[in-house]
Each structure stands twice: as structure tokens, then as C-alpha cells.
Amino acid sequence: MANILFLAHRIPYPPNKGDKIRSWNFLKELAKEHTVHLGFFIDNPDDEVHVSFLENHTASLCFETVTPFKQKLLCLRSFLTNDALTVGAYPYGKLQKYVRSLIEKKEIDLIFLFSAATGPIVPNDIEIPVITDLVDVDSAKWGAYAENASFPMSWVYAREGKLLAHYERNLADRSKVAYLVSDQEVAVFKKDFKRSITAVRGLKNGVDIELFSPAQNRDAQKIIIFTGAMDYRPNVEAVTWFVEKVWEGVRIAEPSAKFVVAGGPENPVVRKLEGYEGVEVTGYVDSMPEMLQSADIAVAPLLTARGIQNKVLEAMACALPVVASTAANEGIEAEHGKAIYVGDTAADFKMHLLTLLEKPALRELVGQQARQFVETEFSWDSACKQLNQDITKVLADAR
């Protein structure tokens, strides 16, 4: 047993969006065998109700609230200090004081950083070993934004991509082990980087296959679903593209088909899509598994994607056939035509969707193969086993 400090850029509970699903599963695993101290930020006031739950799972806890307005002000300061906006967007003082106190009391054997944004909380000169979970190569995402934006945002995004890439790599250098969510992300991270970073490795996401399980009975209502956090730009881009470029062609061929966008928070751009025939925007939902179980097909038409898409894995775990972009399948690498259908054009998506809508037996077969794929390839037990092995080795080397 060790004393582990777990730091996250967002409260790691409830597991209702990609990063929180990953951080919660790792935190839960570490708390089984170790004494865990927890620090995090809260960016949604509704999440404060979950603090008491986390207190019951940890030895100590500290958090700092941050509002979107405050983050914008902090980002403006980052332009003056020449820092990456991702790193500069958080008020670190309270959590830094909490960490210094734990270190001075010699209560910490290892520090686990979840996301690059937590790096500034920890002093650079400490001897306590650090493990970092970068999750995705966020700097590459900002670079992709820059390529598709017009000035001045193209300059802002390019600046963020460059500065954040430098910070991510320096943080990996500070760490005994640094994780990314897939081997593909590791390859992106190491590309064009002159120094050798041997301790960077892929650590897959998992799926709660008991929670995300196949529906007992499907009514075959020809419901197509997209799930995700709708304050996330790639998700907004994806559903907007799908409705504007694909949906009309699907509805002409299948007038009874329905497209459901499930997930909050409310987004005015997404809400306007309800003006299209057959489109429903739910906002927050009480149970995402139930939403998936009520659908017939899931889509993930992401134009920009990093890491592994939990929305795809969760739909597959519910035995839904998924039509996804190449970017959305990256890191998952499910076989096209067997456990998933992959396409990148409006014509591809329309063809795959109509094929699946017209052939219920094929939908069922692809869904079954998708479920089997997830059960075999994406297990939290496997990911947590690797994490525990690395922690054991890092602690042994530090002694």
C-alpha cells in the first residue's frame, strides 16, 4: 500500500463524459489498494453535490471552483506570459497549497497527474515520483483547429498547439511513466520530437460492459443516435455536418427515421438542428445506457478526434451497429464491415445507414460483433492491471 496523490483537471465523478469516465475508473482502482489524496477543479456548479461521495473514497480532498468567465480572464493573462491557454486557464493557488502541505508532512509516495493542465500544481523540483496520464495529444487537436480556421483564430489555435506541445513533452520528461489513450496517440506524440521518451506508452480506455449492455428488446423504430458532451466543439461540428450533409438523404429514403442527439449541456447551435424534420435534441439525459438501448444505430461522424471515442465503445457495448468516421475509429481499430462501418463522406454515411436500416438481420449481426469486440479488446480490468504494475515498479525503483 502506498500514499498516492491524484490530481485531475475536472472532478472525476460522475463518470458521464470521456475524461471523467477514465479518471474515475483509475481513481476507483487506486483507492482499492492505496491511500489516495485527491485534488481537482470543478467547472460545473452542479458537480459540487458529488464532493461528499468522493470524500468517502479518499483520505483527504481539496478542490477549486472555476467559472468559464474566470477561465477566459486567465487565458488572456496567458497571452502576456506566453503560456499555453490550456495550462493558464486554471487558478492553481489553493491546490498548490494543498499539495505543498501534503509533501511537507511526507504523506505522499507517488503523484498521479490526470491531464497536462494539472502539471503546474506540482513543484518541478520534488523527488516524489510522478506518473502522468495525458490521455490525448491535445496539442495536435489545436493544430487541426488551426488548419480549418480563419484569422485571427487560426493564429490563436496554432499558438496553442505549439506551446502546449512543448509543455506536454516537458511534463512527460518529468514523469516516470506517461500515458496516452492509444498507441496511435503515442506515435503522434513522439513524431518530430528529438529527445527519446521511452516511458510514454498507450493505456486503453475500457467500457463498463455491465452498465452498457444490449437491450432486451428493440422496437426497431429506425432511431439513429449521437451521444456526447454538447459543449465540446468536435461534437458540435459532427452533428451539424451530419444533419446538414447526410440527414436529408436518409429521410428521403426512410421518412420514418429519427435522429437523436443525446447529451448536455444545452447548445444553441445544436438546438437549432431541431428545425430539421425528424431531429430531436435531448440535452442532458438521466441514463445514457437507456438512450443507447432505445436506438437502432449510432453515428460518430467526427471531423476532428483525438484518442479513443468512448461514445463509440459504449454504443458497441450496447450491441449497436456504429457508422463512424475514420478519425472516430482511430485507436479503436474495429474492422470495417464487421464490428463497425467506417466512412468519411456524406455519401458513405448515407449508404451505410440505409443499408443497416433496410436490413434488420444485418443490424443485429453487426451489433453482436461489436459487443464481442468491446468485450475482448476494451476492458477496464486490463487497463487497471497495467496501471498497477507500473505503479508497483515506480515505487520499487524509488525506494
Side-chain angles (χ1 to χ4, degrees), residues 136 181-182 204-205 306-310 313 330-332 378:
D136 304 325
V181 77
S182 69
K204 288 182 179 180
N205 275 356
R306 293 254 55 88
I308 289 178
Q309 298 299 314
N310 286 295
L313 296 179
E330 186 173 300
I332 296 174
F378 289 91

Side-chain angles (χ1 to χ4, degrees), residues 1 33 36 43 78 102 121 124 129-130 182 187 191 197 209 231 238 262 271 289 353:
M1 176 180 286
E33 301 292 336
V36 177
D43 57 8
S78 296
L102 290 172
I121 302 174
N124 289 326
V130 174
S182 69
K191 184 180 179 182
I197 312 178
I209 58 175
D231 59 348
R271 180 59 68 184
L353 286 170

Side-chain angles (χ1 to χ4, degrees), residues 77-93:
R77 186 181 65 181
S78 296
F79 283 107
L80 300 176
T81 58
N82 202 35
D83 291 322
L85 304 181
T86 300
V87 176
Y90 294 87
Y92 292 108

Side-chain angles (χ1 to χ4, degrees), residues 31-294:
K32 291 178 182 177
E33 301 292 336
H34 305 286
T35 299
V36 177
H37 301 268
L38 176 63
F40 55 87
F41 295 95
I42 290 181
D43 57 8
N44 183 342
D46 293 340
D47 279 341
E48 290 194 31
V49 300
H50 303 295
V51 170
S52 59
F53 172 83
L54 291 171
E55 286 176 331
N56 292 331
H57 287 75
T58 55
S60 74
L61 179 152
C62 179
F63 69 92
E64 176 69 275
T65 57
V66 56
T67 64
F69 178 72
K70 187 171 186 178
Q71 287 195 300
K72 289 177 181 177
L73 291 179
L74 291 171
C75 284
L76 289 175
R77 186 181 65 181
S78 296
F79 283 107
L80 300 176
T81 58
N82 202 35
D83 291 322
L85 304 181
T86 300
V87 176
Y90 294 87
Y92 292 108
K94 183 178 179 180
L95 286 172
Q96 287 174 334
K97 183 178 179 180
Y98 168 67
V99 170
R100 282 197 302 270
S101 174
L102 290 172
I103 292 173
E104 288 170 0
K105 294 175 183 176
K106 297 183 177 181
E107 295 187 11
I108 301 301
D109 302 312
L110 181 141
I111 298 173
F112 185 92
L113 300 178
F114 189 84
S115 99
T118 60
I121 302 174
V122 177
N124 289 326
D125 58 352
I126 60 169
E127 296 182 0
I128 299 170
V130 174
I131 291 177
T132 299
D133 188 1
L134 293 168
V135 189
D136 304 325
V137 187
D138 274 350
S139 55
K141 175 187 68 179
W142 291 107
Y145 286 170
E147 293 176 0
N148 298 306
S150 56
F151 187 83
M153 293 311 298
S154 59
W155 175 82
V156 173
Y157 295 152
R159 173 190 181 276
E160 181 67 2
K162 180 180 179 181
L163 291 176
L164 185 56
H166 180 73
Y167 187 83
E168 288 170 338
R169 285 155 176 79
N170 282 343
L171 189 56
D173 271 352
R174 286 177 56 192
S175 306
K176 298 299 183 182
V177 181
Y179 296 122
L180 289 157
V181 77
S182 69
D183 292 338
Q184 289 80 4
E185 289 291 282
V186 172
V188 170
F189 187 80
K190 291 186 174 182
K191 184 180 179 182
D192 300 325
F193 189 55
K194 295 179 180 178
R195 294 198 300 274
S196 174
I197 312 178
T198 57
V200 176
R201 63 191 62 154
L203 188 63
K204 288 182 179 180
N205 275 356
V207 182
D208 186 336
I209 58 175
E210 293 183 2
L211 180 63
F212 290 91
S213 58
Q216 296 301 312
N217 295 292
R218 276 205 170 91
D219 295 332
Q221 301 178 70
K222 298 184 178 180
I223 295 175
I224 299 166
I225 193 169
F226 177 96
T227 64
M230 297 317 300
D231 59 348
Y232 185 49
R233 174 176 168 167
N235 288 344
V236 176
E237 288 179 341
V239 295
T240 301
W241 176 85
F242 180 80
V243 171
E244 293 180 349
K245 304 296 184 182
V246 181
W247 186 237
E248 183 180 1
V250 173
R251 282 280 295 187
I252 289 172
E254 294 282 353
S256 63
K258 184 178 180 181
F259 179 50
V260 177
V261 180
E266 294 284 335
N267 185 296
V269 174
V270 178
R271 180 59 68 184
K272 287 182 180 179
L273 297 177
E274 285 195 310
Y276 289 80
E277 199 71 28
V279 176
E280 177 186 349
V281 178
T282 69
Y284 284 109
V285 298
D286 293 331
S287 172
M288 195 59 78
E290 289 182 7
M291 290 298 300
L292 288 166
Q293 289 160 358
S294 70

Side-chain angles (χ1 to χ4, degrees), residues 293-354:
Q293 289 160 358
S294 70
D296 299 287
I297 304 170
V299 291
L302 294 163
L303 310 178
T304 304
R306 293 254 55 88
I308 289 178
Q309 298 299 314
N310 286 295
K311 60 172 62 65
V312 174
L313 296 179
E314 290 169 354
M316 295 174 78
C318 290
L320 280 183
V322 179
V323 181
S325 63
T326 300
N329 190 39
E330 186 173 300
I332 296 174
E333 306 304 317
E335 184 178 347
H336 169 66
K338 186 175 181 181
I340 198 169
Y341 277 77
V342 179
D344 291 309
T345 67
D348 289 339
F349 267 79
K350 177 184 172 183
M351 176 182 66
H352 296 325
L353 286 170
L354 291 179

